[in-house]
Amino acid sequence: MESLNRLETVKPGFTGFIPVEKLEIKSSRGSGPGGQSVNKSNNKVEIRFHVASADWIPDNLKDKFLEQEKNRINKEGYFITMSHKTRKHILNQSDCINKIRTAIYECMIEREPPSEEHLEKLNKRLEKQQRERLREKRSHSLKKQDRKTL
């Protein structure tokens, strides 16, 4: 619900329309439920598109999109997403398109930098986690050493 409220505050530029003819859509046999037809139907969907040549994404968003989604973009510059949530090919295809649309909308949201207080809290949490991890390692090591001395 919170993400929907954030998406309402985005600037205009991307209308949400994604031309299907400019996407590469591949189907394959997906894992998961399917009953007797699980090994017969190609319901897993993979959608990819070349980000640099995607004229339906505004130019001012492409750089931010490339930076934000760098883990899902391969070396050739293709953004890849896949879905095999349901048994229906068309629903998985719709899920992939929604993932693309949401990723573009997320690039449109202007985030303010974290405050000093927030950064300080994060640093304190990180230090506490590290201390706890080292304490557990130390106690585990002592437990092992006690077994060796018998």
Side-chain angles (χ1 to χ4, degrees):
M1 191 70 176
E2 180 182 314
S3 63
L4 291 176
N5 291 338
R6 288 189 314 158
L7 291 179
E8 291 173 358
T9 62
V10 298
K11 297 177 185 176
F14 177 67
T15 61
F17 175 71
I18 299 173
V20 179
E21 63 274 0
K22 296 190 178 184
L23 303 174
E24 295 178 24
I25 302 172
K26 294 181 183 178
S27 301
S28 61
R29 293 191 174 113
S31 63
Q36 293 176 335
S37 65
V38 71
N39 294 324
K40 299 177 189 172
S41 61
N42 292 333
N43 57 5
K44 179 181 175 183
V45 175
E46 176 184 296
I47 295 182
R48 60 176 56 207
F49 66 91
H50 193 259
V51 178
S53 63
D55 57 353
W56 44 275
I57 299 177
D59 291 332
N60 58 349
L61 290 179
K62 282 185 187 178
D63 293 331
K64 193 168 182 182
F65 184 79
L66 285 167
E67 179 186 329
Q68 216 167 344
E69 299 294 332
K70 62 185 171 194
N71 294 334
R72 295 166 67 181
I73 297 174
N74 64 11
K75 291 179 183 176
E76 291 83 30
Y78 283 90
F79 176 81
I80 302 169
T81 183
M82 60 182 67
S83 176
H84 54 94
K85 279 185 177 178
T86 67
R87 298 182 191 183
K88 304 280 186 200
H89 176 270
I90 194 74
L91 292 178
N92 289 334
Q93 185 173 335
S94 173
D95 184 45
C96 284
I97 291 174
N98 280 336
K99 286 179 183 180
I100 294 170
R101 188 175 292 121
T102 303
I104 295 171
Y105 279 145
E106 286 292 324
C107 291
M108 296 172 72
I109 296 173
E110 293 294 327
R111 290 183 174 79
E112 49 190 59
S115 66
E116 292 290 327
E117 296 170 3
H118 184 69
L119 290 175
E120 191 175 317
K121 282 183 184 179
L122 290 177
N123 285 336
K124 284 183 181 178
R125 279 189 212 149
L126 183 62
E127 289 172 2
K128 185 177 178 183
Q129 288 173 349
Q130 289 172 345
R131 281 194 310 266
E132 181 66 22
R133 182 182 61 84
L134 290 175
R135 189 190 63 76
E136 286 178 12
K137 278 182 75 172
R138 207 172 295 118
S139 68
H140 189 68
S141 174
L142 289 173
K143 183 189 336 177
K144 297 288 186 178
Q145 285 177 0
D146 288 344
R147 290 180 188 165
K148 286 182 183 178
T149 58
L150 291 178

